[in-house]
Amino acid sequence: MKKKQKSIYLMSGIGCLLLFCAILAYFFLTPLSKSGQTEYLYVDNDDTVDSVFVKLSRIGNNHAISGMKTLIRHSGYADNIRSGRYAIDDNDCALTVFRRLKNGQQEPLNLTIPSVRTVDRLGAELSKKLMLDSATIVEALTDTATCQKYGYEPATIACMFVPNTYELYWNVGLEKFLDRMKKESDAFWKGDRQAKADKMGLTPVEVITLASIVDEETANNAEKPMIAGMYLNRLNLRNGEYPNGMPLQADPTIKFAWQKFELKRIYNKLLSIDSPYNTYRRAGLPPGPIRIPTVAGIDAVLNYAHHNYLYMCAKEDFSGTHNFAATYSEHLQNAARYSKALNSRGIQ
């Protein structure tokens, strides 16, 4: 009889233990993600335990979230919440996610610098990918002291951003982010590119400024060296009429001066604007880039096509490419064909 009772107690104990283990496994060791795929939890600097729970509830199973709450409330997490972008894989349990959050083991992201026209737009796009606020980014990039720290001015700071893809942490601080961009820019120009710029008698800032104009002229990478060569011909032209070089007369700089990027046609009345970006009235390059150029645009300037063209006009077939001319009379013929095509389509 005693042996039977012991056996019953033993089996009951084992049963309770198994039930306890099952409960622990259910709450702490089963997958947290309810979507069955990798999700990302973004923890801000101002997040509290409650707000972290709210964010977790959007992506996690209820029972796993309950397990997370138990772990978090019986630890020191509330006093040491670490911001970051945390990956929650499809098989990650509450215990794994808790350890990741507590130890700040966040997942890096791939950030591609966008080829945008203005610092405001750059700030807006970066803030979509990073914890940094767009206003904070723009304030830094328009601050003379901050720009000079990295060797630029507000008009040229965009030159520091090479539009490649970089691995960063979502919660990277502003100073570390700018330091990283400076380091990447220096690496980009080190060696062959710097040597080519030196041979051309241009600084990296000047190359980037010209590349920004080339990129605005066409999206056709194959044609970019031709356009770069034409503008370099104008810059280098020295004669009685243009002792300081022929004005670039680049329509994209007029759009930038007016901040009217939607313009389809540049009329004479727009050419009178008093702006350092008006390359119809001022010789040489504008004070800085009119967008963050593509790497293809930069390399097109560094590997420009050698020819004698001084003029270009968009082709009348609207292919996005151009007719080039060595003389002004030939250019007028090209321009007349393009103007006729615009009129036929009612483009103002």
Side-chain angles (χ1 to χ4, degrees), residues 28 53 65-75:
F28 301 109
F53 285 156
I65 297 300
S66 296
M68 282 287 294
K69 288 181 178 180
T70 300
L71 291 169
I72 286 176
R73 283 174 175 161
H74 290 82
S75 70

Side-chain angles (χ1 to χ4, degrees), residues 183-213:
K183 180 181 177 181
E184 295 291 348
S185 176
D186 290 344
F188 178 82
W189 283 99
K190 185 178 180 180
D192 188 51
R193 287 190 176 93
Q194 183 65 64
K196 288 180 179 179
D198 291 341
K199 187 176 180 181
M200 296 167 63
L202 298 177
T203 66
V205 167
E206 290 171 330
V207 171
I208 289 172
T209 299
L210 181 53
S212 71
I213 297 173

Side-chain angles (χ1 to χ4, degrees), residues 67-99:
M68 282 287 294
K69 288 181 178 180
T70 300
L71 291 169
I72 286 176
R73 283 174 175 161
H74 290 82
S75 70
Y77 179 75
D79 299 322
N80 188 30
I81 296 176
R82 299 188 179 187
S83 64
R85 172 182 180 264
Y86 297 93
I88 301 176
D89 296 328
D90 55 346
N91 290 319
D92 284 342
C93 62
L95 183 60
T96 298
V97 175
F98 167 71
R99 287 174 175 171

Side-chain angles (χ1 to χ4, degrees), residues 299-312:
D299 287 341
V301 173
L302 294 173
N303 300 282
Y304 67 96
H306 295 260
H307 52 65
N308 65 341
Y309 295 130
L310 286 173
Y311 305 94
M312 72 175 191

Side-chain angles (χ1 to χ4, degrees), residues 47-74:
D47 267 322
T48 64
V49 169
D50 290 335
S51 62
V52 171
F53 285 156
V54 171
K55 292 180 178 181
L56 278 169
S57 66
R58 296 169 186 159
I59 59 180
N61 293 303
N62 290 335
H63 62 277
I65 297 300
S66 296
M68 282 287 294
K69 288 181 178 180
T70 300
L71 291 169
I72 286 176
R73 283 174 175 161
H74 290 82

Side-chain angles (χ1 to χ4, degrees), residues 72-214:
I72 286 176
R73 283 174 175 161
H74 290 82
S75 70
Y77 179 75
D79 299 322
N80 188 30
I81 296 176
R82 299 188 179 187
S83 64
R85 172 182 180 264
Y86 297 93
I88 301 176
D89 296 328
D90 55 346
N91 290 319
D92 284 342
C93 62
L95 183 60
T96 298
V97 175
F98 167 71
R99 287 174 175 171
R100 198 169 290 157
L101 293 178
K102 192 171 187 302
N103 296 326
Q105 296 173 341
Q106 59 174 308
E107 185 81 3
L109 56 78
N110 290 322
L111 173 71
T112 300
I113 298 299
S115 178
V116 292
R117 293 187 176 102
T118 65
V119 168
D120 286 346
R121 190 72 254 158
L122 177 61
E125 293 301 318
L126 291 177
S127 67
K128 294 177 183 178
K129 296 288 186 177
L130 301 173
M131 192 173 71
L132 293 169
D133 176 73
S134 61
T136 301
I137 298 171
V138 172
E139 182 180 1
L141 298 182
T142 53
D143 177 65
T144 300
T146 301
C147 294
Q148 288 178 345
K149 174 185 174 182
Y150 295 99
Y152 298 92
E153 297 293 333
T156 60
I157 188 62
C159 296
M160 191 172 74
F161 296 87
V162 180
N164 284 325
T165 300
Y166 309 99
E167 187 176 84
L168 294 165
Y169 286 114
W170 173 72
N171 64 340
V172 63
L174 178 62
E175 186 174 2
K176 284 189 175 181
F177 172 67
L178 295 179
D179 288 347
R180 174 70 183 278
M181 291 299 97
K182 174 60 174 172
K183 180 181 177 181
E184 295 291 348
S185 176
D186 290 344
F188 178 82
W189 283 99
K190 185 178 180 180
D192 188 51
R193 287 190 176 93
Q194 183 65 64
K196 288 180 179 179
D198 291 341
K199 187 176 180 181
M200 296 167 63
L202 298 177
T203 66
V205 167
E206 290 171 330
V207 171
I208 289 172
T209 299
L210 181 53
S212 71
I213 297 173
V214 172

